[in-house]
Amino acid sequence: LTDSLTNTTDGVLTQRKNTLDSQIRQQNARISSFDEALGRKRARLEAQFLAMERAIASLQGQQAALGSLASIR
């Protein structure tokens, strides 16, 4: 009975350890995949934010120009 539990090749504890090790590797792979996807999403959002900031700056410049024209009247 003890040998069936502790056998280093095919014992119950060895098989359980191998199963847990495999699950850990799979979860680590999932984490890496999520990290990569999150990095891509972050880069896309940062690019969108920068584009919005530029658009706002352009609109503010246009607003200032229109404001100066309005004061000419």
Side-chain angles (χ1 to χ4, degrees):
L1 176 63
T2 304
D3 189 49
S4 70
L5 291 175
T6 59
N7 186 307
T8 58
T9 305
D10 62 352
V12 173
L13 295 176
T14 301
Q15 290 177 0
R16 182 66 178 143
K17 179 191 177 300
N18 291 341
T19 299
L20 291 173
D21 288 344
S22 174
Q23 290 174 347
I24 289 170
R25 282 191 299 275
Q26 290 173 350
Q27 294 301 326
N28 284 336
R30 287 185 69 207
I31 289 169
S32 293
S33 177
F34 281 126
D35 282 344
E36 290 171 7
L38 187 59
R40 289 189 301 271
K41 186 169 188 167
R42 179 181 178 148
R44 186 175 65 251
L45 291 173
E46 286 177 348
Q48 289 174 347
F49 182 81
L50 181 59
M52 287 189 303
E53 287 287 313
R54 288 179 179 158
I56 289 170
S58 175
L59 290 172
Q60 287 174 336
Q62 291 175 14
Q63 179 185 21
L66 290 172
S68 67
L69 289 175
S71 66
I72 294 176
R73 291 202 234 173

